[in-house]
Amino acid sequence: MIRLSTVSALVFLSILHFFSFSGEGAPLPPEEIAGKYRNASPVQWGEHVSGTASRIAARGKEIALTFDACGGKKGSAVDRDLLDFLRQERIPATLFLSGRWLAKNRETARELAADPLFELANHGAEHRPLSVTGRSAYGIPGTESASGAAREVEANARLLEEITGKRPRYFRSGTNHYDEVAVRVAAELGHVTVSHSHNGDGGASYSQKKIADGLLSLRGGEIVLFHMNRPEGRTAEGLKEALPLLREKGFRFVKLGERPFVLEGGTPGP
C-alpha cells in the first residue's frame, strides 16, 4: 500500500477522477493505465533508462539548472540564500518539489510559482524511486506496481496544481531512479521524466570547490541536478563562484520548458 502521509486525503481521492492521454491522444483513466502495464516486465533500472531526458537540445552554450526539494525530517528546509542568488543574478531554473516538502512549504511554493524566473516540476508524492516491482535505491523502497507508480506521480501533480494553479509537465523521482516501464506510466500521465547529465552537488554533500569545478567543466546541453532544501550544504556557495564565470565564457541558463530534450539513447524528445 502506498503511504500518503504528506498528501491530503482530498488530493488522493481526486486521483480517482483524473484523466491522462495515450500516445494517440485518447483519455485513459488510472485503472486502465495500471492494467495496461500490469504484466510488463522491466529490464532496466537506474538513473538513466530508456525514455528519460538527460540533456537539452541546446542552442550553443546553454545549461539547464534543476533543483530538487526532497522533504522529510531532514530535508524540508528552504535554501533562501540560493534562491536569493538566482533572483539577484536573474538565473532561471526548474524546481522539482516533492509532496513531503510541499506539506511544510505551501506558501513558499506559491511564491515560487508566481516568479517567472522559476518553473515548478513534480518530485513525487512520497519521494520514492519509480518502479513497477518495488525496487529500492539508497535504502528507500520504490513504488511496488504500475498502480503505485501512477499514484506517486499523479498525487503530487494534483497537489502542485491545487497549490499553484498549474499542472506540472516534468517529473523526477525520489533518488532519481526508475525502470523503463514506470517511465512509460509517467508519460501516460503527461509527464516527461527528467534525469540529469551532471550531478551538481551530490545531494548537497559536495564541497564548494567540487561544485564549482564541476560546473566549470560543462560544455553546454547539460541538465544539472542540485538541491534547494539543504541550506547547510555548500550548493549556494558553489553556484556563486561558478555561474558568473560561466557567463563570462558566454554560457546561458534556461528552464527545461525552453528547449527540446534529448532522451536516453540520443533520441530527440518533446
Side-chain angles (χ1 to χ4, degrees):
M1 177 179 294
I2 295 296
R3 294 175 294 108
L4 292 169
S5 58
T6 58
V7 181
S8 69
L10 178 61
V11 174
F12 174 66
L13 289 174
S14 73
I15 299 171
L16 298 176
H17 304 289
F18 84 88
F19 288 91
S20 63
F21 292 90
S22 71
E24 292 75 31
L28 281 176
E31 61 271 17
E32 288 189 28
I33 292 177
K36 184 176 180 179
Y37 295 100
R38 183 171 292 120
N39 297 320
S41 298
V43 297
Q44 301 176 13
W45 177 249
E47 297 182 348
H48 303 282
V49 304
S50 298
T52 57
S54 58
R55 297 180 61 85
I56 56 169
R59 301 173 185 171
K61 295 195 290 186
E62 293 179 332
I63 298 168
L65 302 178
T66 70
F67 296 83
D68 290 358
C70 305
K73 292 182 180 179
K74 297 181 180 180
S76 291
V78 182
D79 194 337
R80 288 288 177 183
D81 189 30
L82 167 63
L83 295 174
D84 289 346
F85 169 71
L86 295 175
R87 285 169 161 153
Q88 177 185 328
E89 297 299 319
R90 304 304 301 165
I91 296 172
T94 302
L95 314 178
F96 286 84
L97 312 182
S98 82
R100 299 193 311 172
W101 186 88
L102 287 165
K104 301 289 187 181
N105 295 284
R106 280 177 171 255
E107 289 306 315
T108 298
R110 291 190 182 99
E111 167 203 322
L112 295 171
D115 190 332
L117 198 65
F118 301 128
E119 170 183 59
L120 302 192
N122 187 345
H123 199 31
E126 292 290 330
H127 192 256
R128 300 177 67 179
L130 204 70
S131 168
V132 298
T133 61
R135 292 195 65 165
S136 63
Y138 305 113
I140 300 174
T143 53
E144 78 290 347
S145 63
S147 178
R151 289 195 295 269
E152 176 72 3
V153 175
E154 183 61 19
N156 203 49
R158 287 278 168 150
L159 182 59
L160 276 164
E161 188 171 18
E162 175 194 311
I163 293 171
T164 70
K166 186 174 182 181
R167 183 176 173 86
R169 299 168 58 196
Y170 310 119
F171 175 80
R172 177 181 287 145
S173 72
T175 75
N176 190 36
H177 274 68
Y178 319 87
D179 65 51
E180 79 279 13
V181 176
V183 169
R184 294 201 295 271
V185 170
E188 296 277 9
L189 299 169
H191 287 66
V192 178
T193 298
V194 178
S195 182
H196 71 288
S197 46
H198 179 74
N199 186 341
D201 65 0
S205 68
Y206 289 173
S207 68
Q208 176 180 337
K209 183 179 187 303
K210 186 169 183 177
I211 293 167
D213 287 349
L215 282 167
L216 294 172
S217 73
L218 302 182
R219 297 186 177 184
E222 292 88 357
I223 296 173
V224 188
L225 190 160
F226 292 106
H227 290 78
M228 55 166 282
N229 63 312
R230 302 291 296 273
E232 71 277 12
R234 295 293 177 264
T235 302
E237 287 80 357
L239 292 171
K240 289 178 183 180
E241 178 179 342
L243 296 192
L245 296 176
L246 285 172
R247 274 185 162 166
E248 289 178 9
K249 294 180 178 181
F251 280 85
R252 300 179 301 278
F253 308 102
V254 298
K255 293 178 283 189
L256 292 177
E258 296 175 327
R259 295 293 181 267
F261 292 110
V262 177
L263 303 184
E264 283 298 326
T267 307

